[in-house]
Amino acid sequence: MSLTDLTLTDALAKLRSREISSQELTQAYLDRIQQIEPKIKSYITVTPERALEQAKQADERRANGEDAPLLGIPVAIKDILTTEGIQSTAGSRILEGFVPPYSATAVTCMFNSGAVMLGKANTDEFAMGSSTENSGYGTTHNPWDLDRIPGGTSGGSAAAVAAKLALGALGTDTGGSIRQPGAMCGVVGLKPSYGRVSRYGAIAFASSLDQIGPLARNVRDTASILQVIAGHDPLDSTSMNVPVPDYSKSLIPEVKGLKIGVPKEYFTEGMQPEVESAVHAAIDLLRSMGAQIQEISLPHTDYGIPVYYLVAPAEASANLARYDGVRYGPREAAKEMFDSYKATRGRRFGAEVKRRIMLGTYALSAGYYDAYYLKAQKVRTLIKGDFEKAFADVDVICCPVAPRTAWKIGEKVNDPLQMYLEDVFTVPTSLSGICGISVPCGFDKLNLPIGLQIIGPAFGEEKILHAAYAYEQATEWHKQLPTL
Ligand code: GLN
């Protein structure tokens, strides 16, 4: 058994008992990155010197009798999170070479807890996409089948965890970007409730939706990372001042009496039959363990995609106005100022980002604002109401993460609408500000992972961790990793 086979929880135990050092563990990851990473391309930037320096510090802290929740644990950080002194691109060529003067709060929390950063994980440009193919720095490959996408937009983070190129990772989820790549790479991914984790230093895509969250090999590891990044931050006015529970207390392997809702709208025609049967089998298992299963209805589900693809681009068009080559990143030269803006934005934004800026600008423009943006906000309230009603009756909701397993690289890049439709089961949660987790629940006949989504109410992370942990402990899916 190699050091990279250990889970985060096991590695931490061995670090605590001094059986291994963080420098040994980190070196094992750096060696594996050298070997395997060229096949996967999960990182935009690997930071070996910084990692070894942080590992040395972690070992010194431990030698001095200190301990911390992630002391000495090597992780990957999605490149949409700023890291002081290390290039942070958000997957965009418009931020090529941009070295931020400060780190995101979530990153600082990781560092204060002793985590060691191996590098910055690949992402679709500004987290727009569902496959990581929209990255300005190349596509990440799914470790289960190198010809396939890893999901997105935290595809680099998910692939790194699945391929044992990191023990855990931070991702961001605006409409599914942690849960969906988690499902497609066969790892656990949790999107916290809006306001649970500070977004300070997360390069903004859609500010009413963006959340930072963890990806890891199992539910306990995921909870350990959530524990250190959750909490109020005066630097982010949307982070809520709500006490952070001890998430390890939610990790109970039994679900007797837990009320689980199964939304009938989440089993649609046209979804991959193996996904449907795997999710139903997972629900049956929870029933056999004593959970009370009831069918529920989330009647506005169909409006999730159109609402999301108005609200998110509208917010993106505003957030991305700041990239003009003056304050951040490289500048394309031109005689006139406006020509320089145009050249910088024209040459350095990718096609999907430009499409979103145009869609969003249109939806916000005078004469269309009421018909599109305002209407979308109203329907968003209805979608949120569906969940509020459901959570009056049930503790959590179980459903698929995505209608399909990982598709072939290139299969959907020329059909943005097809790509948007893949987000049907993840965007309603995001629009409602509530939390969701993806846990492995099977494989299709091509041996591609399938994810079970467990959705909880706002600040209900304990509930989804509980249900996910109980399910995981009764199954073996999470123990399977791709052979590379
Ligand atoms: N696929 C969705 C989009 O393209 C969600 C992305 C995300 O969550 N960042 O916007």
Side-chain angles (χ1 to χ4, degrees):
M1 181 162 163
S2 120
L3 284 181
T4 54
D5 293 331
L6 298 168
T7 63
L8 190 157
T9 305
D10 294 341
L12 207 51
K14 287 197 193 297
L15 287 165
R16 287 194 169 129
S17 68
R18 313 284 164 97
E19 212 176 303
I20 60 171
S21 71
S22 176
Q23 289 171 87
E24 284 162 358
L25 184 63
T26 302
Q27 191 59 57
Y29 271 95
L30 292 171
D31 291 347
R32 189 170 164 87
I33 286 173
Q34 239 186 6
Q35 233 184 351
I36 307 284
E37 169 63 7
K39 292 193 218 172
I40 310 289
K41 301 195 171 72
S42 52
Y43 288 97
I44 291 179
T45 310
V46 181
T47 52
E49 291 95 28
R50 154 96 61 141
L52 288 170
E53 180 54 38
Q54 283 183 320
K56 189 162 160 264
Q57 281 167 15
D59 288 336
E60 283 164 9
R61 278 172 76 178
R62 209 174 277 291
N64 289 333
E66 261 185 74
D67 193 16
L70 299 175
L71 192 56
I73 296 294
V75 298
I77 305 289
K78 188 179 183 179
D79 209 26
I80 202 152
L81 302 176
T82 57
T83 42
E84 184 184 345
I86 301 284
Q87 172 182 260
S88 305
T89 68
S92 182
R93 289 285 172 188
I94 213 162
L95 285 175
E96 192 174 359
F98 170 62
V99 177
Y102 65 88
S103 292
T105 297
V107 171
T108 305
C109 289
M110 295 290 280
F111 290 167
N112 290 344
S113 303
V116 169
M117 181 171 78
L118 294 165
K120 302 295 297 289
N122 199 11
T123 166
D124 286 291
E125 186 175 7
F126 289 104
M128 297 175 191
S130 305
S131 66
T132 317
E133 291 165 290
N134 295 337
S135 168
Y137 301 83
T139 300
T140 297
H141 298 256
N142 190 313
W144 292 90
D145 177 348
L146 299 176
D147 292 333
R148 289 176 188 269
I149 55 113
T153 61
S154 309
S157 301
V161 171
K164 294 188 284 185
L165 301 172
L167 256 180
L170 289 188
T172 60
D173 189 313
T174 302
S177 279
I178 290 175
R179 292 161 286 161
Q180 184 257 30
M184 290 190 173
C185 290
V187 300
V188 178
L190 187 146
K191 182 204 101 75
S193 312
Y194 190 75
R196 180 70 290 183
V197 176
S198 166
R199 297 179 303 120
Y200 179 73
I203 296 172
F205 159 19
S207 305
S208 76
L209 298 156
D210 299 341
Q211 266 301 293
I212 300 169
L215 293 111
R217 278 181 224 161
N218 60 46
V219 176
R220 186 178 291 279
D221 291 2
T222 304
S224 303
I225 300 177
L226 178 65
Q227 193 76 54
V228 309
I229 61 172
H232 179 240
D233 174 14
L235 296 173
D236 172 7
S237 60
T238 65
S239 84
M240 300 274 280
N241 202 348
V242 174
V244 181
D246 177 351
Y247 292 119
S248 69
K249 293 215 173 97
S250 313
L251 307 178
I252 309 159
E254 59 131 306
V255 287
K256 245 185 221 88
L258 188 78
K259 286 196 198 153
I260 298 180
V262 180
K264 59 170 192 260
E265 292 82 0
Y266 279 56
F267 296 87
T268 50
E269 241 176 83
M271 70 189 283
Q272 192 177 327
E274 294 147 293
V275 170
E276 187 167 356
S277 56
V279 171
H280 278 308
I283 293 165
D284 287 343
L285 177 67
L286 287 162
R287 182 187 287 117
S288 74
M289 291 165 69
Q292 289 174 30
I293 312 290
Q294 72 185 71
E295 189 185 84
I296 58 164
S297 175
L298 300 168
H300 298 95
T301 298
D302 273 355
Y303 299 107
I305 295 281
V307 168
Y308 175 86
Y309 280 97
L310 280 165
V311 172
E315 294 181 12
S317 72
N319 275 325
L320 270 52
R322 74 190 71 174
Y323 302 106
D324 52 15
V326 176
R327 280 176 296 173
Y328 310 95
R331 182 183 313 163
E332 301 287 344
K335 273 214 187 90
E336 301 291 335
M337 183 177 70
F338 280 107
D339 293 336
S340 167
Y341 289 174
K342 272 192 232 162
T344 303
R345 288 169 72 84
R347 286 181 211 151
R348 291 191 168 266
F349 277 145
E352 183 60 27
V353 169
K354 288 179 189 165
R355 187 177 297 123
R356 305 272 180 120
I357 292 172
M358 287 191 277
L359 281 170
T361 306
Y362 181 80
L364 290 176
S365 56
Y368 296 103
Y369 181 94
D370 286 1
Y372 293 108
Y373 186 71
L374 198 65
K375 187 68 153 261
Q377 291 292 23
K378 289 179 177 168
V379 182
R380 180 179 186 173
T381 305
L382 295 175
I383 293 171
K384 196 166 171 234
D386 283 356
F387 284 109
E388 276 162 11
K389 250 182 240 146
F391 286 124
D393 280 341
V394 299
D395 299 307
V396 295
I397 292 171
C398 279
C399 59
V401 177
R404 251 167 293 284
T405 54
W407 56 86
K408 284 251 167 79
I409 290 173
E411 201 180 312
K412 293 186 203 282
V413 267
N414 295 321
D415 193 345
L417 192 59
Q418 270 310 313
M419 190 90 91
Y420 298 170
L421 291 172
E422 296 298 326
D423 301 335
V424 57
F425 302 142
T426 47
V427 293
T429 322
S430 302
L431 288 166
S432 307
I434 59 182
C435 58
I437 189 169
S438 166
V439 264
C441 75
F443 293 90
D444 70 5
K445 55 178 179 296
L446 298 174
N447 202 36
L448 298 168
I450 301 171
L452 168 70
Q453 182 173 206
I454 304 174
I455 300 171
F459 291 84
E461 282 77 9
E462 290 166 284
K463 292 183 180 173
I464 58 174
L465 284 168
H466 169 206
Y469 181 77
Y471 172 75
E472 178 193 78
Q473 291 305 299
T475 58
E476 298 282 316
W477 308 117
H478 65 288
K479 294 190 181 150
Q480 304 192 32
L481 286 174
T483 40
L484 283 157

